[in-house]
Amino acid sequence: MNVTTPTSGATDRRAATIVMACLGVFVAYLPITTVAVSLPAIQRSLHTSTAQLSWVQDAFVLPMAAFILTAGLFGDVHGRKKVFQAGLFFCAAGATVALCAHNIPTLWAGQALAGLGSAALLPTTLALISHAVPDFRERGKFIGMWAMALLAALAVGPVIAGLILEHFSWRWIYLLSIPLSLVAMAVAVPLLTDSRAPHSRKLDWPGQLTAAVGVTALVYGVIEGGADSFTDTKVVAALVLGVVALIAFVLAEKRSAGPMLDLAVFRSPAFTATALIALITFLGLIGFFFVLSLYFGMVQQLGTLEAGARLLLVPVAAIVAGGPAGRLMHRVSARLMITVGLLMVAGSLLAMTNIDADTPYGSIAWRLIVLGLGLGLVTTPMTATAVAAVPHHLAGMASAANNAFRQVGGALGPAVLGALLSTRAVHNLPAHLAHAGITGTQADTIVATAKNGGLGAVAGMNLGATAGQVYGALGDSLLDGLRLCFVVAAVLVLIAAVCALTLLRRPAQGGPREVKAVSTAQHGHPETPAEDTTPAGTAKPAGYRRG
């Protein structure tokens, strides 16, 4: 049997492509936790309400979710290297705008630009790895590296933010992204190998517009409904618009000759399962990070560095578990790893429901470690399964779609859990104030301030000698809201575990090939042998067969 050995130059090119892909996803995810642990400082500096604070995170995640599929399509059409560099440029530009922000709209604008950059980086980095490593079995190891780079960004973000906020303004948390992005742009020019989709594709403007409108309207409605009322006219209008736009997106993709998201990929149960798991899990987990940062900052009154060090346990534990998970994928089924990981995450979230203002960190730490280990068991298999569940020529679309669902969940997480937190806390505040001995006009004023400006606005009031009692009541109200959020997040993760258990089964013979046949029949792409770039004698995804 003849074995083709890659040349030294090809091996170096592949290594450079993988390194750049990992650096790209690191840059894309770095702003998530640096901003998350800085939210209390941002709220104090810019005097924001809870709803405005939610939009700081969502201004970043929302464009990422809305445009990630378009970015994947641009990479397929114009070259992934160009889109990769464009993503780095937008990340640097967004960080620069946020660095100069002195009001909340400017900060939103900077976050949105950085979100656009991350939307370009996420699908292109995975597609570049898929192109550089066509062998499914070997690719799982490199997708594991990609996932570890993602988790590393989540890990170092809180520490970086904490060190900066100990000595400087919160704005400087954005500084690191600028040189990282610019240096990566320059290094990518000679080192990064470009690639395109093997079939000619066209930009799907109806799909893009309806997807962007649908996601934006839905998240806006959830945030504003939680801050005000879900019966408010503008909230109802936004939610209805979101649903209508998403239905229009599905209809547009069915009729499109070159869809942004080929709906045939959902004929694969494995792909459908990973999409649902990504959406539900990140809705719970990103929302969890949002409310936990408020717990450390507003209930335990910790500094940003202390809060960041405490949050660090989750991504570090995820990295510890994620490395072996990538190497074991061909020995242990993705179904088993993902289900066990999700059950560990749900158990740790439920264990968080009994914390209070005086809970020592040692008691919280083991819960965060278990959560991180579970997350590490989920991230790599989920991403690799989504890419492997479809034919090789749809790998870029699959990675973009999986990341899109992940980011939609991430956008909804702070919105949904933030709304629940605010609603429960404000509802219980009068009872806690009365228990603390605060009644009458002062209690009414405090409750009105919390309803209109958020719980953080109460800290800016002139409370006089009763400040200690009021802060105690605020802390107890926040704890009520936090406990509800932990329960809701745990239930969401349990739903994701059920999806993994029931849908992640070994596909029927020819599963990905069947998806390919449907795509060819619907959209006229001829099936060519060049698409099958898996070397002879290497492992294939479950259900794969050569045509």
Side-chain angles (χ1 to χ4, degrees):
M1 180 177 68
N2 295 327
V3 178
T4 302
T5 303
T7 64
S8 175
T11 302
D12 291 343
R13 281 278 182 174
R14 187 175 80 165
T17 299
I18 292 166
V19 169
M20 294 305 298
C22 290
L23 180 59
V25 76
F26 182 90
V27 170
Y29 264 81
L30 185 62
I32 292 180
T33 48
T34 53
V35 174
V37 299
S38 305
L39 290 174
I42 293 172
Q43 187 172 41
R44 289 191 297 269
S45 175
L46 300 181
H47 309 291
T48 66
S49 67
T50 303
Q52 289 175 320
L53 202 64
S54 297
W55 272 108
V56 172
Q57 287 280 75
D58 283 312
F60 174 83
V61 180
L62 189 56
M64 196 193 306
F67 293 100
I68 198 168
L69 285 170
T70 296
L73 180 56
F74 263 90
D76 288 346
V77 174
H78 299 293
R80 287 146 188 165
K81 180 176 178 178
K82 296 184 182 68
V83 177
F84 177 84
Q85 291 178 300
L88 291 168
F89 172 79
F90 276 108
C91 284
T96 303
V97 172
L99 180 65
C100 301
H102 289 275
N103 55 62
I104 197 68
T106 305
L107 180 59
W108 289 341
Q111 287 279 93
L113 281 174
L116 285 173
S118 296
L121 290 173
L122 287 173
T124 52
T125 50
L126 271 176
L128 286 167
I129 290 176
S130 181
H131 176 78
V133 189
D135 176 11
F136 165 75
R137 183 171 181 173
E138 188 181 11
R139 192 193 310 153
K141 177 177 66 177
F142 294 111
I143 289 180
M145 294 180 182
W146 179 91
M148 293 308 99
L150 183 157
L151 293 170
L154 298 179
V156 302
V159 177
I160 292 172
L163 289 172
I164 290 173
L165 292 177
E166 286 288 311
H167 305 286
F168 306 101
S169 166
W170 59 266
R171 294 175 183 83
W172 294 102
I173 64 174
Y174 292 98
L175 181 62
L176 181 60
S177 294
I178 300 173
L180 272 180
S181 299
L182 295 179
V183 169
M185 282 179 65
V187 172
V189 173
L191 294 183
L192 191 62
T193 300
D194 202 1
S195 65
R196 290 178 172 84
H199 297 303
S200 60
R201 300 182 64 191
K202 297 180 180 179
L203 297 181
D204 178 20
W205 290 113
Q208 172 54 65
L209 292 173
T210 51
V213 170
V215 173
T216 303
L218 186 62
V219 175
Y220 174 83
V222 172
I223 292 177
E224 293 301 317
D228 190 6
S229 170
F230 281 98
T231 60
D232 188 274
T233 303
K234 66 179 181 181
V235 173
V236 173
L239 294 175
V240 171
L241 176 62
V243 172
V244 171
L246 291 179
I247 293 173
F249 169 75
V250 172
L251 296 176
E253 297 306 273
K254 282 186 174 182
R255 297 178 179 180
S256 175
M260 182 171 63
L261 176 61
D262 190 339
L263 300 179
V265 297
F266 289 100
R267 293 180 180 271
S268 165
F271 179 84
T272 303
T274 55
L276 289 174
I277 293 166
L279 173 69
I280 298 169
T281 302
F282 269 70
L283 194 159
L285 286 180
I286 300 300
F288 164 78
F289 277 112
F290 175 77
V291 299
L292 193 63
S293 67
L294 295 180
Y295 166 77
F296 286 135
M298 298 181 68
V299 177
Q300 292 201 330
Q301 299 293 310
L302 299 178
T304 305
L305 181 58
E306 292 178 284
R310 282 157 170 74
L311 289 170
L312 185 62
L313 273 181
V314 176
V316 167
I319 291 173
V320 170
R327 293 190 294 271
L328 290 173
M329 279 193 58
H330 63 285
R331 297 180 183 177
V332 181
S333 72
R335 178 191 183 195
L336 178 60
M337 280 197 288
I338 293 173
T339 302
V340 170
L342 290 171
L343 290 176
M344 291 173 64
V345 171
S348 64
L349 288 171
L350 290 174
M352 295 284 290
T353 57
N354 66 352
I355 63 173
D356 55 35
D358 301 320
T359 300
Y361 180 58
S363 180
I364 298 175
W366 71 265
R367 299 168 169 89
L368 298 180
I369 291 173
V370 172
L371 190 150
L373 292 173
L375 182 61
L377 290 177
V378 172
T379 304
T380 300
M382 178 177 67
T383 305
T385 301
V387 174
V390 300
H392 186 71
H393 75 279
L394 293 179
M397 180 188 291
S399 64
N402 188 261
N403 275 300
F405 278 98
R406 188 182 316 191
Q407 300 315 321
V408 169
L412 289 174
V416 173
L417 296 192
L420 289 173
L421 171 66
S422 179
T423 301
R424 172 60 69 90
V426 172
H427 180 269
N428 290 0
L429 182 57
H432 288 299
L433 287 171
H435 183 73
I438 308 297
T439 58
T441 304
Q442 184 183 17
D444 294 339
T445 303
I446 291 171
V447 172
T449 301
K451 285 182 178 179
N452 295 327
L455 295 172
V458 178
M461 297 176 61
N462 183 13
L463 300 172
T466 63
Q469 297 163 274
V470 173
Y471 291 152
L474 279 175
D476 291 337
S477 299
L478 269 171
L479 281 171
D480 291 342
L482 285 166
R483 293 184 184 112
L484 175 63
C485 289
F486 292 149
V487 171
V488 171
V491 170
L492 290 171
V493 174
L494 286 173
I495 293 172
V498 172
C499 291
L501 191 62
T502 57
L503 295 178
L504 281 180
R505 299 181 180 275
R506 183 175 295 275
Q509 189 71 10
R513 183 66 88 187
E514 289 166 5
V515 175
K516 186 176 194 173
V518 172
S519 178
T520 302
Q522 287 182 346
H523 309 300
H525 298 319
E527 182 179 333
T528 65
E531 294 165 5
D532 183 9
T533 56
T534 306
T538 57
K540 320 294 193 298
Y544 179 97
R545 69 180 178 190
R546 196 175 293 272

